[in-house]
Amino acid sequence: MSVDTAAKQADAGDGAGRFLLDPYLDWAKGEGIPIHDDFGFDLLAVETGPWERYDARGCFAHTLGRGDFMSNYVLEVEPTRRTRPVRHLYEAFFYVLTGYGSTTVWLPDGTESSFEWGPKALFAIPLNCRYQILNASGVEPARLSCTTDAPLLLNLFHSPEFVFGSDAAFPDRVGAAARFEGDGEHSVYNQDSAKVQNVWETNFVHDLTSFKLYSFEGRGTGSMNVNFVLADGTMHSHVSQMPVGRYKKAHRHAAGTHVHAVDGEGFSLLWYEGDAEFRRFPWRHGFMYSPPFWMFHQHFNTGPTPARYVACSLGSRKYPFLALRRKSAEGSGAVSVSQGGRQIEYEDQDPRVHRMFLEALREAGVESRMGDAFDEAAIMALPPESLTGVIHTPRSTGPAI
Ligand SMILES: [Fe+2]
């Protein structure tokens, strides 16, 4: 055996630094800001630290269900300050948690575009454009939630120098100048079915609480939503709304969907097929979590106003990227599990679900408006011993892939 070979074999003992690498996490650790790992977060409360890259403050908010390709960081800009201009090859959707300010984007044609934003705005940076974020307030910090596909890019190239230092230009990602002012294009497909998809293409949505939504009854009576294609991106976003006194049907899908509560209040239930207990996650503005892969989840509005949330994930309606996301774009997200889809119809759900909803409504002093779908008196009269054991799920015909 040569000396060289013996040395290589000895080195293979623990393989530290040579195998099972995660360049994204290595990069994140090297940024020097707090890294929070949890099921979900109150992004208004998470601790931030100085972040040299942006010359601002920030932290990583790594959800348990972020999956292989997506992650999230919080960027905090102190009053009157502006961030150091940066560019990167990953896509980035910014959702404004608090504060007022503006963003300047330098475009591939040599011009620049600036737009102003306030709380609950959503905007995307066109791919690899240099940008700078300014806090216009002299008093209040601005806090933004940034959902990205940085893990995809950093684990693919394992070169932060390339991901943050490339001069590559993608002019097709920019769109018309008015798209930074909220102008856009509305399209509809699957028009004549319960699978209707309303899509709005833009770069900037100035207020998610007032943005026009469209009926999406496939997810439950009164449900409304709109899908966004932002900056011609591969990342997806949609806003959904639940009316007062109602909730959406449970469903499951790929990992990586970062769900942000926008307004209203309520809770979500999550469970895997075969579980005996639900995981319950309360939410209001600022809360963010990601349902893990193939985990059922269901959102409940228990407040006196309609409730909205915004979700950001990989695989847009325009560029689905993943087979599972293509199925969603085709409308399979609203097909019953018993028909090969991913949704649990009201009549198939475990009685504990509606009972928990009614109890939460009673506590909040809000009336249920779901008497059309459930015998609510009978559900409230069920004996406690009937509300235990494996959570009822209709017979699944397998993953819809
Ligand atoms: Fe979902």
Side-chain angles (χ1 to χ4, degrees):
M1 184 184 295
S2 72
V3 173
D4 195 34
T5 304
K8 280 181 182 168
Q9 289 189 348
D11 197 30
D14 61 6
R18 296 182 58 208
F19 303 105
L20 302 174
L21 303 182
D22 188 328
Y24 165 73
L25 268 186
D26 290 343
W27 166 76
K29 288 172 187 165
E31 291 298 285
I33 57 175
I35 300 176
H36 305 292
D37 288 286
D38 209 336
F39 187 85
F41 300 93
D42 177 358
L43 295 179
L44 295 171
V46 287
E47 180 201 359
T48 60
W51 197 355
E52 176 70 21
R53 182 173 301 281
Y54 280 101
D55 191 20
R57 297 179 64 81
C59 68
F60 290 97
H62 284 165
T63 56
L64 182 68
R66 68 185 175 86
D68 296 320
F69 307 128
M70 305 287 294
S71 73
N72 178 277
Y73 52 75
V74 170
L75 183 64
E76 187 173 75
V77 188
E78 289 169 317
T80 72
R81 297 290 304 271
R82 60 188 71 213
T83 61
R84 189 193 313 285
V86 297
R87 68 195 306 179
H88 40 69
L89 287 169
Y90 56 79
E91 295 186 8
F93 287 2
F94 284 93
Y95 170 56
V96 182
L97 297 163
T98 58
Y100 294 85
S102 64
T103 299
T104 299
V105 183
W106 286 272
L107 303 173
D109 66 2
T111 64
E112 62 182 63
S113 203
S114 290
F115 54 93
E116 295 180 358
W117 41 256
K120 304 183 180 181
L122 177 72
F123 61 88
I125 306 298
L127 194 67
N128 209 31
C129 286
R130 195 176 300 280
Y131 65 97
Q132 182 176 48
I133 292 173
L134 163 74
N135 182 354
S137 167
V139 183
E140 189 192 4
R143 191 173 265 233
L144 298 90
S145 168
C146 181
T147 305
T148 77
D149 57 1
L152 170 62
L153 274 295
L154 283 154
N155 282 333
L156 181 64
F157 293 112
H158 30 97
S159 169
E161 296 73 21
F162 177 62
V163 171
F164 291 94
S166 168
D167 290 331
F170 302 89
D172 292 348
R173 301 285 196 117
V174 176
R179 289 202 171 180
F180 289 106
E181 293 157 16
D183 198 8
E185 189 182 336
H186 173 229
S187 315
V188 185
Y189 66 95
N190 287 343
Q191 255 158 307
D192 300 320
S193 75
K195 300 175 179 178
V196 63
Q197 301 283 323
N198 280 273
V199 181
W200 179 257
E201 291 192 56
T202 188
N203 297 347
F204 174 63
V205 181
H206 95 280
D207 182 3
L208 291 176
T209 65
S210 61
F211 195 83
K212 179 178 169 59
L213 305 183
Y214 303 88
S215 178
F216 186 49
E217 299 273 323
R219 192 48 56 75
T221 302
S223 279
M224 302 182 79
N225 85 344
V226 70
N227 300 285
F228 295 119
V229 173
L230 300 177
D232 198 42
T234 306
M235 272 172 45
H236 163 85
S237 180
H238 68 265
V239 172
S240 290
Q241 176 173 297
M242 290 167 277
V244 176
R246 297 196 70 96
Y247 58 85
K248 295 167 76 87
K249 295 175 183 175
H251 67 288
R252 58 184 177 182
H253 46 66
T257 299
H258 288 68
V259 180
H260 298 72
V262 172
D263 62 6
E265 56 191 306
F267 65 94
S268 295
L269 292 180
L270 300 101
W271 71 98
Y272 288 112
E273 202 168 335
D275 279 355
E277 290 184 6
F278 297 92
R279 175 143 199 165
R280 185 167 171 152
F281 188 78
W283 48 258
R284 58 175 187 274
H285 170 57
F287 281 53
M288 185 271 291
Y289 69 98
S290 307
F293 181 82
W294 224 235
M295 190 175 194
F296 282 114
H297 50 281
Q298 192 162 15
H299 311 300
F300 302 81
N301 178 14
T302 58
T305 60
R308 288 188 178 197
Y309 63 83
V310 60
C312 302
S313 55
L314 186 65
S316 64
R317 292 296 183 251
K318 190 167 185 179
Y319 305 103
F321 192 76
L322 304 168
L324 267 172
R325 294 294 301 160
R326 180 170 290 277
K327 286 284 186 187
S328 296
E330 290 170 351
S332 288
V335 174
S336 169
V337 165
S338 60
Q339 292 170 12
R342 312 177 205 160
Q343 177 167 283
I344 298 178
E345 301 301 317
Y346 291 137
E347 61 267 29
D348 292 331
Q349 75 182 26
D350 191 289
R352 279 169 281 189
V353 171
H354 199 68
R355 177 131 157 178
M356 272 188 266
F357 173 67
L358 293 175
E359 286 168 351
L361 282 190
R362 186 177 289 176
E363 211 168 285
V366 177
E367 281 196 13
S368 167
R369 296 188 188 171
M370 297 189 72
D372 55 330
F374 295 92
D375 182 344
E376 298 187 325
I379 287 174
M380 290 307 287
L382 287 169
E385 59 272 21
S386 72
L387 302 171
T388 58
V390 172
I391 297 166
H392 173 72
T393 308
R395 189 178 165 83
S396 167
T397 53
I401 50 176

